[in-house]
Amino acid sequence: FLFNTLEAFYWSLEEKGENDLARIVVAMSGLFRYVIGNAGSNEAWVTVGDELEHAERYLQIMQMRLGDRLRWSIDIEPEFKAVPIPKLLIQPLVENAILHGVESKLGPGTVSIRVAASARPGMATVTICDDGPGMDEAALAKLKRSIDDARTAAPSKGTGVALSNVQRRLKLYYSEAANGAGRVEGLRFSSAPGQGTSVSFDITICRRREPQRENDIGR
C-alpha cells in the first residue's frame, strides 16, 4: 500500500510538471524499500555501495527541507563498493552530521562521506564529516562517555542515541577484524570549535563475522 501510494504521488506530480517533488517521492520510495526490506532478517548485510546510495537518497530528501543550506559529497575508492557491511550504519551518522553540524551553523553546510583504505591491513575506513560548529574537548568527552555505555544502559534523548546504536552494532558484528588484524575500535571522533566534526569507523574487507551475543562482547 505504501509503495503504491508513493507511485501514485509520483505520476501525479510528473503530470503536473512538478519534477523536483517527483524526484523526492522517488527518493522516499527507495529509502523506505531499503529500510523495510529484509526487516525480519537477523542478518541484514548489504554492500558499501548500497549503503552510500541509501545515504544519498536521505540527503536528497533533507535538501528539500534545507535547500541551499545543505551540500554534500561522496567519495569511495571503486574496489570498496562491493565490500559487505551491516545495513544502516552510515545513514544514522549522516543524519547526526546534518542535525548537529549543518543545522547548527549559519549559512550553507557540507556533509562529506568517504570510504578509503585503512592504515590497518584488510580493512577500510568509513568517514563522515561536517563543517559545523564542532565541539570542545569537554563536549567531545561527554559524547564519548554517552555512547561507550550503550550496551549496558539505553542513552537518553539528546545524548547520541543514533551514535550509540551504531557503536553497539559495530561491536556486535566486528568484535574482531578479519585475518587476525585485531579488534575493531568502533566509532572514532575528531572535533574542535569552529572546525566541524568527523566520525569514522573501520570495516573488514575480506570477510564478515557473525554477530556475537551482547553478553559475549568484551570477554
Side-chain angles (χ1 to χ4, degrees):
F1 171 78
L2 172 63
F3 298 129
N4 288 341
T5 302
L6 288 172
E7 185 175 4
F9 284 158
Y10 170 77
W11 288 114
S12 177
L13 292 167
E14 279 278 292
E15 290 175 358
K16 296 177 181 179
E18 297 284 355
N19 296 327
D20 289 341
L21 289 176
R23 283 194 291 270
I24 294 299
V25 170
V26 170
M28 289 180 63
S29 178
L31 185 146
F32 289 141
R33 285 184 185 276
Y34 189 83
V35 172
I36 295 172
N38 296 323
S41 172
N42 292 324
E43 187 185 11
W45 287 75
V46 294
T47 67
V48 172
D50 292 334
E51 273 288 276
L52 293 180
E53 288 180 5
H54 175 65
E56 185 160 26
R57 284 191 291 267
Y58 175 78
L59 286 162
Q60 291 169 350
I61 293 170
M62 292 303 295
Q63 191 172 51
M64 181 179 180
R65 180 167 69 86
L66 297 174
D68 292 340
R69 289 189 59 199
L70 175 61
R71 303 168 182 169
W72 72 83
S73 66
I74 299 176
D75 182 18
I76 178 171
E77 297 178 14
E79 62 265 34
F80 299 130
K81 287 186 177 181
V83 170
I85 186 174
K87 190 177 182 180
L88 297 173
L89 283 186
I90 295 177
Q91 181 270 326
L93 303 182
V94 173
E95 182 177 354
N96 192 75
I98 293 174
L99 177 63
H100 298 288
V102 175
E103 294 193 54
S104 297
K105 66 175 293 185
L106 297 175
T110 301
V111 175
S112 302
I113 309 171
R114 176 170 172 75
V115 183
S118 171
R120 304 173 69 187
M123 308 185 78
T125 299
V126 180
T127 305
I128 295 90
C129 299
D130 66 70
D131 60 354
M135 293 176 280
D136 58 24
E137 292 184 6
L140 188 57
K142 180 179 179 181
L143 175 62
K144 290 178 179 179
R145 287 195 300 271
S146 76
I147 70 168
D148 283 342
D149 296 329
R151 64 184 176 90
T152 58
S156 60
K157 184 176 180 181
T159 59
V161 175
L163 297 178
S164 297
N165 288 337
V166 172
Q167 179 83 321
R168 183 180 66 85
R169 296 181 67 225
L170 283 170
K171 291 183 177 182
L172 282 171
Y173 286 98
Y174 294 108
S175 59
E176 293 180 2
N179 300 324
R183 295 180 66 86
V184 170
E185 300 173 357
L187 296 174
R188 301 187 299 273
F189 299 88
S190 176
S191 188
Q195 297 183 25
T197 300
S198 171
V199 183
S200 63
F201 61 90
D202 289 335
I203 58 173
T204 57
I205 296 172
C206 299
R207 66 179 174 90
R208 75 189 192 199
R209 295 182 59 86
E210 299 299 326
Q212 293 183 332
R213 298 187 304 272
E214 289 195 39
N215 290 341
D216 292 337
I217 300 174
R219 289 187 178 180

